[in-house]
Amino acid sequence: MIVEPPSTLRLTVNREALAANWRTLDTMSGTADAGAAVKADCYGLGVETCVPVLRDAGARAFFVAHWSEVADVVRHIDPEQVAVLHGVISDEEIAYAKAIGAIPVINSLDQARRWRAGGGGPCHLMVDTGINRLGVAPNEVGDEAIAALDIDVLMSHLSSADEEDDAVSRLQLTTFRTVIPQVRHRAASLANGAGIALGPDYAFDLTRPGLALYGGVPRADMAGQLRQVAFVEAAILQTRTLQAGDAVGYNGEFVAQNDMPVATVSLGYADGFLRSRGPGGALLHGDIALPLLGKVSMDMVVVDLSQAPDLEEGDWLTVPYDLRDAAQQSALSQYELLTALGRRFRS
Ligand SMILES: *Cc1c(COP(=O)(O)O)cnc(C)c1O
């Protein structure tokens, strides 16, 4: 008999909140449809859990970065609704694309030629309007290699949509508009999650939210519209009472000034709880903040139990995952807080 392994870590995905966030972003997208960025295992929250929820909410266009991410998604989604942002950089990838049926996002003239030479078929085209990562340059879209493509979605990506000042986004929008009439395509797409909040000019036919689906708040003006999706808890492994002068953890960076109760908790940097979330941060018992003491270890942290001295071994503590607050507190981005969640949450 196979039994579920017991765990001292819990990641709970609120499926209702995830579906509600997609619907909110779809509504904010106006006449455009909202798709869903599901790369990096749905930003760390799990394709298996999240993709069916997004599909049932109404999403029809899914984006991953790597070909290695496709197989898990197409268990739930028609392959022609799954796009691979990194495109095709080798014949091996083209063969895989053909076999699995997902759609490459062509990012360069070389990729365009390679895709055609490999037999072609529907693809998307990324035009780089200023982020300078992936995509063909606006002055390359007239090339015959582009004319020969069967382009479904013509897209570009905003570099600074999360900034209050929209000057860079407006420049990218202007460039994207000059490209649109030059390329044969069925649909156009520019906005990521933050870009949706920039208004209807940015929506075109399809938007591509990611972080905001999973409860991140990419712009202050989106606060209050998106619900927290990821809830994280860790169990107490042991409690003890420190004597004045006792030092906690590697290098003894916290030294008790008085006798105090503390708890050792099953959570460490291998779980994505990085050292920058340490001193100054806290875990929670209900509304009570339990300050972190000393360095974060690979598998453990120690918290001050003075405000909740009755807690014991096996009790669960909440790891703060209000993403805006946690990002401010830890100097990590909301994206990093989600995608850093470790494998031990998956069991
Ligand atoms: C990751 C990504 C998205 C989603 O961005 P968010 O900021 O998470 O909304 C959209 N488009 C492209 C090309 C991406 O790489």
Side-chain angles (χ1 to χ4, degrees), residues 37 39 43 85 126 133 157 192-193 208-211 335:
K39 58 195 179 185
Y43 289 47
L85 293 163
M126 176 67 80
R133 291 188 323 188
H157 191 48
N192 62 345
R208 308 186 307 269
L211 180 75
Y335 297 84

